[in-house]
Structures are given as structure tokens and as C-alpha cells.
Amino acid sequence: MIELQYFERSNIEQLINWIPSAEFTLQWGGPAFQYPLTSEQLEKYLEEANKEDSDTYIYKVIDQESQKVIGHISLGRVDRVHKSARVGKVLVGSSEVRGKGIGSEMMKAVLTIAFEELKLHKVTLGVFDFNASAIRCYENAGFVREGFLRDARKNGDEYWNLIEMGILENEWREINK
């Protein structure tokens, strides 16, 4: 089992160590970050986050048994008028826990915050079409494919396609009865 806690400055170095390449940076952070990831980039990312009226909430993922930080996830673009937000920066950083359902637990936890605490109506995310394990994880959490953006991001000399996914509050409630 995991727990989400606010990401703090003391977690910056560990997150940097989890991001090994430009390709991984793009997969994890989209166009928001440049490789190599730096503490300055992450300080800026944290600047307006995790306050009562923030539009971004950034979390570290804690393994409840070991109390170690094993991942990262954010809920951004929180729109309280239209009651929507976007999951991003999803990372099971600790390689020894990958493939053990941690991603599914992270999604359940962040959606609980979105729908129970923030009282949102819809949560979206984007995932590259080649990331089959992430797509499976998101679909298992209840997300449905809503769109396909061709050549959405440039990585070196190639372009990557992006799948847009979303889940509505009533769909989430149905899954979590």
C-alpha cells in the first residue's frame, strides 16, 4: 500500500536521480522540463503548488511499509469553475517496485483526492501511444481514450503520438462502490 504526501524540496535530488535521459524526461514531464532535470526546474515547479487554492498539487509516493519514497505524481490544471484537472508526471521511480501494481495504487489515490477532496467532475491525462503498461494502468483505473494526437511531441528527430484519456466522477464512483 502507498500514501501520497506533498512533494517537498528535500525530495528534489531523489527525483532528479530517477530521470536518466532526455527521452525519459519527455515521457515523464512532457514539454514542462528539459534534460538534464535540475533543482532549479523543480523549484519553479514547486513554487505555486500545494497551497490551498493552488492549481497544481505535487505528490511523492510513500511505501507505507518501508516509509521510503518510491514515486511521484501530480494533479495539475485544477479548474475549480469547470471542475476538472489533469494527472501528470506519473513515475514509479524505484525500479525494485515497478510492475507490482504501484501505478494502479497511485492512480486510485490521486483520483480519490480529485473526486472526494477537490469535488471535481473530470480528470484527464495524456500518455504516449507506445507506453502500453501505462495505458493498461490508466484503463484499469477507469480512464477511457478520448483522443489521439498525431506527432504531438518531438523527441530528437522523431515525433511521438499522444493518447488523451479521461475519467468522469460518475465513472470513478461506479468503479469504487
Side-chain angles (χ1 to χ4, degrees):
M1 297 295 289
I2 58 105
E3 176 187 348
L4 299 186
Q5 295 177 3
Y6 284 148
F7 183 83
E8 299 167 325
R9 283 174 174 76
S10 61
N11 306 118
I12 286 176
E13 199 60 40
Q14 182 179 40
L15 181 57
I16 289 171
N17 291 333
W18 283 337
I19 310 292
S21 66
E23 292 77 19
F24 198 94
T25 305
L26 182 58
Q27 276 194 63
W28 169 74
F33 296 100
Q34 302 301 311
Y35 183 79
L37 191 60
T38 64
S39 55
E40 291 78 20
Q41 290 178 71
L42 292 171
E43 290 275 355
K44 189 171 186 328
Y45 172 51
L46 265 173
E47 229 167 61
E48 296 301 318
N50 301 343
K51 298 175 184 159
E52 190 175 326
D53 60 348
S54 290
D55 66 1
T56 302
Y57 296 93
I58 304 167
Y59 301 98
K60 59 186 170 187
V61 182
I62 308 288
D63 178 299
Q64 287 183 315
E65 193 175 307
S66 70
Q67 288 299 301
K68 289 184 178 174
V69 178
I70 58 169
H72 181 92
I73 193 167
S74 71
L75 190 62
R77 297 190 203 166
V78 177
D79 182 332
R80 288 172 174 77
V81 174
H82 300 287
K83 298 190 168 288
S84 64
R86 189 163 179 88
V87 172
K89 323 254 181 327
V90 180
L91 175 62
V92 178
S94 182
S95 57
E96 61 266 13
V97 296
R98 286 190 190 142
K100 296 184 178 176
I102 300 298
S104 295
E105 288 188 42
M106 290 166 57
M107 294 310 297
K108 184 172 184 170
V110 83
L111 289 173
T112 299
I113 291 167
F115 293 124
E116 293 292 332
E117 293 178 25
L118 297 175
K119 309 288 187 211
L120 300 179
H121 174 70
K122 181 176 185 176
V123 176
T124 63
L125 59 79
V127 59
F128 292 112
D129 67 345
F130 57 80
N131 195 342
S133 60
I135 293 166
R136 220 175 11 262
C137 173
Y138 303 149
E139 287 175 339
N140 289 340
F143 282 83
V144 297
R145 296 176 193 221
E146 296 185 338
F148 186 81
L149 305 174
R150 299 177 303 147
D151 291 357
R153 298 286 182 264
K154 189 173 190 309
N155 177 48
D157 292 333
E158 64 181 0
Y159 287 89
W160 291 352
N161 300 320
L162 191 68
I163 297 172
E164 282 293 319
M165 302 180 84
I167 184 171
L168 302 176
E169 176 188 14
N170 63 314
E171 295 166 338
W172 179 81
R173 292 203 183 284
E174 188 64 31
I175 292 167
N176 292 283
K177 279 184 177 177

